[in-house]
Each structure stands twice: as structure tokens, then as C-alpha cells.
């Protein structure tokens, strides 16, 4: 059976466009957003976080999203943030595996519960068990090795975080290369 070049090209375009959209977008606090009075430990307890996913912090004036080290997260210490943003909805891409810590640096907010800790897995296929680490949190990822760039977007998210699927870019690359090789062998 012979495959046509346009068909193969079309297939690869679909794969390369669709694969990045398979990452999960987690809206922190769901409808409550990033606010005082929310229980982020409970929110994160049934979620699985993987490299390639994103956290969206929805908040208004009077709050921040700060990435902090574990010690600052535990003590709600401000002023040593790895990165910070206070401009409104903030999207944090989860680029590396490890525990990421986020807090609101406004006085009293972190101690009032505005902190989140998430454990990010290298691949979502590694385990089906939730990987959230319920505990006070901070923003960003000290495990990245370099300060995370603060990304502020107003991306509307209608995707349900618990029902989304993510796939490793390496897996996508493997499938793409495999299809190329198969198409040349069969052509």
C-alpha cells in the first residue's frame, strides 16, 4: 500500500498540533480561584501533575503568586521569592519534575491558607495515583534549577483539570519518527 506525501504531511501536522494540547491546565482552586478561604490542600489532593502541565492562578488586585523555596513555603517567609507576579491571572508552566511551592506574599495571606505545593511527575503515565503533595504552597518551582520566568496571561480555561490527559513530548516525537519511517518503508 502506498501512502501519498500530502496524507503523511497532514498526519504529522495533526499530531504536532494536537499533542501539545494534551497537557493539563489546572485552574488553582477551580471556581474559587486563588483567594483567602480556599483549601488548596484538598484541591490538590486528587490531582496528578506532570511536566508540560500548567497551573492557572485566577485572582484580582491585592494578591500575588510567588514561587518560593520549601523553607519559605513552610514558614510563609516573603522577600526571597524566586519569581513573583501580581498582575492578575497568572499561568505557570510546570517545566520540571519535583515539588513546586507557591504562596501569596501579601501579609497574612500565606498564613491564612494561600499556599500550594504540587509534586510534578516527569511523565503522567508513570502512575495513576495522584501526585499532589498537600501542604502550604508557593509559586514557581525551586527544582527548576533556574528562576522560572513569570508568565502572565488571561487564558480562559474551560478544560476540566481532572479529566484532561497529558502526553510527554518525547512520546509524541517517537510516534512522529515512527510514522515517518513506516511511510518510507511502505512507500
Amino acid at each position: 500500500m502506498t501512502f501519498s506525501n500530502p496524507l503523511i504531511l497532514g498526519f504529522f501536522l495533526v499530531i504536532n498540533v494536537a499533542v501539545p494540547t494534551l497537557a493539563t491546565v489546572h485552574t488553582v482552586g477551580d471556581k474559587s480561584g486563588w483567594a483567602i478561604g480556599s483549601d488548596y490542600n484538598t484541591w490538590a489532593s486528587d490531582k496528578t501533575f506532570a511536566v508540560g502541565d500548567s497551573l492557572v492562578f485566577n485572582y484580582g488586585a491585592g494578591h500575588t503568586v510567588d514561587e518560593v523555596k520549601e523553607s519559605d513555603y513552610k514558614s510563609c517567609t516573603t522577600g526571597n521569592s524566586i519569581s513573583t507576579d501580581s498582575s492578575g491571572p497568572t499561568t505557570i508552566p510546570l517545566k520540571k519534575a519535583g515539588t513546586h511551592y507557591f504562596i501569596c506574599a501579601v501579609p497574612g495571606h500565606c498564613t491564612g491558607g494561600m499556599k500550594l505545593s504540587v509534586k510534578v511527575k516527569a511523565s503522567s503515565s508513570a502512575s495513576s495515583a495522584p501526585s499532589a503533595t498537600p501542604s502550604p504552597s508557593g509559586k514557581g518551582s525551586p527544582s527548576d534549577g533556574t528562576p522560572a520566568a513569570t508568565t502572565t496571561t488571561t487564558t480562559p480555561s474551560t478544560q476540566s483539570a481532572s479529566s484532561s490527559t497529558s502526553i510527554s513530548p518525547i512520546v509524541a516525537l517517537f510516534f512522529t519518527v515512527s510514522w515517518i519511517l513506516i511511510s518510507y518503508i511502505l512507500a
Side-chain angles (χ1 to χ4, degrees), residues 55-146:
L55 297 176
V56 177
F57 292 81
N58 289 319
Y59 59 97
H63 296 297
T64 68
V65 178
D66 288 30
E67 174 183 1
V68 295
K69 295 179 182 177
E70 181 180 13
S71 58
D72 291 338
Y73 161 79
K74 288 181 176 179
S75 63
C76 286
T77 300
T78 59
N80 300 319
S81 299
I82 295 167
S83 65
T84 187
D85 187 37
S86 61
S87 62
T90 302
T91 299
I92 306 292
L94 300 174
K95 297 179 180 178
K96 289 204 171 201
T99 305
H100 299 247
Y101 302 96
F102 305 89
I103 65 170
C104 179
V106 173
H109 289 198
C110 178
T111 55
M114 285 187 73
K115 52 201 253 177
L116 172 68
S117 172
V118 296
K119 185 170 182 172
V120 178
K121 292 185 177 191
S123 171
S124 64
S125 62
S127 170
S128 60
S131 62
T133 301
S135 56
S137 67
K139 173 191 177 201
S141 171
S143 64
D144 283 355
T146 59

